[in-house]
Amino acid sequence: MSRVGRVERITKETSVVVEIDLDGSGKVDVSTGVGFYDHMLDQLGRHGLFDLTVKTEGDLHIDSHHTIEDTALALGGAFKQALGDKVGIYRFGNCTVPLDESLAQVTVDLSGRPYLVHTEPEKMAPMIGEYDTTMTRHILESFVAQAQIALHVHVPYGRNAHHIVECQFKALARALRYASERDPRAAGILPSTKGAL
Ligand SMILES: [Mn+2]
């Protein structure tokens, strides 16, 4: 049974198409018009071993906010869709990733309930190319809201903005992969005592 999700989201501000295959091999085809964001989504697919297609055309003449946010919303929706009934998955995942001087710790529960806890160094360069670094939390909030997962992301230390953001996406990718992967000991079992996820 294939675990794929597809979300098409069209508004007056953006037009977004996201496709994800959780059991892919990290094949990524991403274009949002925001170079650094493309680089981050590339990390997500590559290190999550998801096949990921993202095509966003947004109102970049205003700024990159809507483009980045709406892509994250669609991505969250596609991820949830791909998870399906969640039977036989690990459900929890965590990963710690260093990137030179920066460290990201990510823990996820594919719980069905949206909750984000996020900390990162407050002193950081405000922009990476066209990417506003305050958008990282907004991306995570948007993704969590649509994917309906509990996500804790911490960067206890880091200095370079590019590193601080990139290690978060790498650790997120791995944590999502571990949580969504099929547990060979739990085939046919829903990982919840409540009987619902
Ligand atoms: Mn917003």
Side-chain angles (χ1 to χ4, degrees), residues 65-66 69-70 135 138 142:
H65 189 116
H66 301 138
E69 176 177 2
D70 294 357
M135 287 303 287
H138 208 18
S142 305

Side-chain angles (χ1 to χ4, degrees), residues 65-143:
H65 189 116
H66 301 138
T67 297
I68 291 174
E69 176 177 2
D70 294 357
T71 300
L73 288 167
L75 186 63
F79 183 77
K80 181 177 189 291
Q81 213 184 88
L83 279 175
D85 60 12
K86 300 180 187 169
V87 168
I89 64 168
Y90 284 100
R91 175 179 168 181
F92 306 103
N94 66 79
C95 189
T96 298
V97 169
L99 206 173
D100 295 350
E101 87 297 340
S102 299
L103 187 82
Q105 303 160 321
V106 174
T107 307
V108 63
D109 176 7
L110 306 179
S111 58
R113 299 183 307 274
Y115 205 100
L116 174 70
V117 180
H118 181 244
T119 62
E120 64 181 358
E122 279 176 19
K123 252 183 71 179
M124 204 191 321
M127 298 295 291
I128 307 167
E130 299 300 305
Y131 181 92
D132 172 343
T133 55
T134 65
M135 287 303 287
T136 306
R137 180 169 302 165
H138 208 18
I139 290 165
L140 298 174
E141 286 166 348
S142 305
F143 180 78

Side-chain angles (χ1 to χ4, degrees), residues 6-18 55-59 66-67 69-75 146:
R6 184 177 195 280
V7 168
E8 216 175 314
R9 188 181 189 283
I10 295 163
T11 69
K12 285 176 182 164
E13 295 171 340
T14 61
S15 136
V16 186
V17 183
V18 172
K55 299 283 169 218
T56 302
E57 284 174 36
D59 52 2
H66 301 138
T67 297
E69 176 177 2
D70 294 357
T71 300
L73 288 167
L75 186 63
Q146 294 298 312

